[in-house]
Amino acid sequence: MRKKGCSKALRDHADITEAVNVYGDTVMRACAVHLRQQADRDDVFQETFLRYAQHDGAFNGEEHRKAWLIRVAVNVCKDLHKRADRKHSSLEEEGGSENPALATVDTTSASTQALDLQEALQQIDEKYRTVLYLKYYEGYNAAEIGQMLGQPENTVYTNLARGRKALKEVLAHGD
């Protein structure tokens, strides 16, 4: 993170705007997988693109830029979870277990299943949630996920299998 008063230039405004337009939905989905509160999602979204604006490194194509943005969003979500004041808050203090982003969803079967899946994802370990998100929402393969997360490919396969098992258990038991 840059120090106050640092005179380093930000990325070009057009570049930032393009990144938000092209990858904004992807970043918001990554936030939704990790955070229940819309305000937290908005904060992480803003922080992710602020870091993008401040990042002076080059990207090796659009996939690299997308992966970088997702990785930053996930890391900021993790940082938010680590904060001491977040560790001790209960669901009741956070406004209950209802997901505000899905509150306007109709009650059709597909929408109900999506809501159940979203709630189930919130209940499994974050390391499994992250790999499942990257695999099934963003379409990355195990090698790409491993590279993004700094993990061996076999670890990714293990976490995918364990994540699917944990998700299946949560969905079967309704816990």
Side-chain angles (χ1 to χ4, degrees), residues 34-103:
H34 292 279
L35 302 169
R36 293 180 191 263
Q37 297 294 309
Q38 185 62 43
D40 290 340
R41 294 174 191 170
D42 293 341
D43 288 347
V44 170
F45 181 90
Q46 187 174 31
E47 178 67 21
T48 298
F49 284 102
L50 175 62
R51 290 184 186 186
Y52 177 78
Q54 295 171 336
H55 181 70
D56 57 3
F59 296 104
N60 299 327
E62 288 303 306
E63 277 302 312
H64 182 221
R65 181 163 74 153
K66 178 182 176 184
W68 187 92
L69 287 164
I70 291 170
R71 185 72 231 145
V72 169
V74 169
N75 285 340
V76 175
C77 288
K78 287 179 181 180
D79 291 346
L80 189 62
H81 281 296
K82 288 178 187 175
R83 285 191 354 219
D85 61 330
R86 299 282 301 172
K87 285 184 178 180
H88 301 292
S89 68
S90 68
L91 280 177
E92 290 78 26
E93 291 170 345
E94 293 179 4
S97 63
E98 182 180 337
N99 186 330
L102 300 173

